[in-house]
C-alpha cells in the first residue's frame, strides 16, 4: 500500500503486492523490463512541480534506510528523487542494550521500560524533531529553501518492538 500511495499506481502496475515483492531501493521496483518504468512519487511531484520542500522522517517507504533519498547531494535545496531532507532514527548503543532487558517474560520484544529511557526511543526522537521543525518553521528559522513544506512522518509503532515507558 505504501508503494501504491506514494507512486499513485495500483498493484497491477507496481507489481509490489506484499513486503517480499519490495526491492530495498524504491526505484529498483520500476523498470522497462517489468513494464512499469514510469514512476513519479507524491513527494517528488510536490518538490519538482509544486515548489515544496519535502521532508521525510523514518519509515515512509518500506525500508527506512532506502526512502528514495539522494544522500550524495550536499545541499538540501538541490536534491533529486523524493526528499529534500530525510532523517532516520533508531535506538542506539546503551539504550538499545537496555531495552532488551525489559522484554516481556524474556520471550517478546515488548515491555514496560523505565521512564528515563523514553527520550531514547526512536518515536520519541521523531516526534521531538517534528515538533522542533514546526516551531522553527512558525518562527521563520527553518531552512526549507524558502518554500512551503510537505512532511511525511513514519512512526515505528505499532510494529515490534513495543517498549513503552512505565508511566503510560
Amino acid at each position: 500500500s505504501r508503494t501504491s500511495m506514494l507512486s499513485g499506481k495500483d498493484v497491477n502496475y507496481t507489481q509490489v503486492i506484499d513486503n517480499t515483492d519490495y526491492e530495498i531501493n524504491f526505484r529498483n521496483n520500476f523498470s522497462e523490463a517489468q513494464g512499469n518504468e514510469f514512476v513519479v512519487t507524491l513527494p517528488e511531484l510536490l518538490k519538482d512541480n509544486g515548489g515544496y520542500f519535502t521532508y521525510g522522517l523514518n519509515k515512509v517507504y518500506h525500508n527506512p534506510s532506502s526512502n528514495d533519498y539522494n544522500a550524495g547531494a550536499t545541499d538540501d535545496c538541490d536534491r533529486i528523487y523524493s526528499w529534500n531532507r530525510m532523517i532516520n532514527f533508531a535506538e542506539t548503543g546503551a539504550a538499545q542494550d537496555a531495552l532488551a532487558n525489559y522484554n516481556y517474560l524474556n520471550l517478546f520484544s515488548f515491555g514496560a521500560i523505565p521512564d528515563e529511557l523514553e527520550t531514547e526511543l526512536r518515536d520519541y526522537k521523531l516526534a521531538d524533531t517534528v515538533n522542533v521543525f514546526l516551531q522553527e518553521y512558525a518562527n521563520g528559522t527553518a531552512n526549507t529553501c524558502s518554500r512551503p513544506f510537505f512532511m511525511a512522518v513514519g512512526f515505528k509503532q505499532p510494529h515490534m518492538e513495543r517498549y513503552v515507558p512505565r508511566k503510560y
Side-chain angles (χ1 to χ4, degrees):
S1 62
R2 277 188 188 96
T3 301
S4 290
M5 187 210 57
L6 291 164
S7 69
K9 302 290 186 181
D10 67 21
V11 297
N12 291 321
Y13 185 85
T14 68
Q15 301 174 39
V16 177
I17 296 169
D18 62 35
N19 290 344
T20 62
D21 295 331
Y22 192 88
E23 291 289 330
I24 296 300
N25 182 320
F26 177 79
R27 299 260 164 200
N28 289 347
N29 290 285
F30 303 91
S31 70
E32 188 174 345
Q34 292 175 191
N36 66 356
E37 68 275 13
F38 179 77
V39 62
V40 176
T41 67
L42 173 63
E44 181 182 17
L45 182 69
L46 290 171
K47 180 175 66 62
D48 295 344
N49 297 316
Y52 281 79
F53 180 86
T54 57
Y55 192 0
L57 295 106
N58 275 26
K59 187 177 180 176
V60 179
Y61 291 77
H62 175 62
N63 185 334
S65 63
S66 301
N67 275 319
D68 200 40
Y69 176 64
N70 174 247
T74 57
D75 184 357
D76 285 350
C77 302
D78 296 331
R79 293 193 195 276
I80 58 173
Y81 305 135
S82 292
W83 307 108
N84 291 106
R85 185 177 303 149
M86 169 57 65
I87 297 177
N88 291 297
F89 294 102
E91 291 89 18
T92 57
Q96 187 177 27
D97 296 338
L99 291 176
N101 295 323
Y102 296 94
N103 289 340
Y104 182 72
L105 300 175
N106 289 328
L107 297 173
F108 302 105
S109 298
F110 62 85
I113 63 171
D115 293 339
E116 59 269 14
L117 287 177
E118 180 176 23
T119 59
E120 301 302 317
L121 297 174
R122 76 182 74 204
D123 283 349
Y124 182 95
K125 295 175 189 177
L126 174 61
D128 188 57
T129 299
V130 169
N131 185 43
V132 168
F133 173 80
L134 293 174
Q135 289 177 8
E136 288 175 352
Y137 189 82
N139 294 335
T141 59
N143 179 14
T144 61
C145 307
S146 300
R147 303 178 197 160
F149 73 91
F150 168 78
M151 179 183 283
V153 179
F155 285 94
K156 171 75 171 168
Q157 301 303 338
H159 294 76
M160 294 299 253
E161 303 82 31
R162 293 187 186 123
Y163 296 109
V164 180
R166 188 166 296 284
K167 66 185 176 185
Y168 300 118

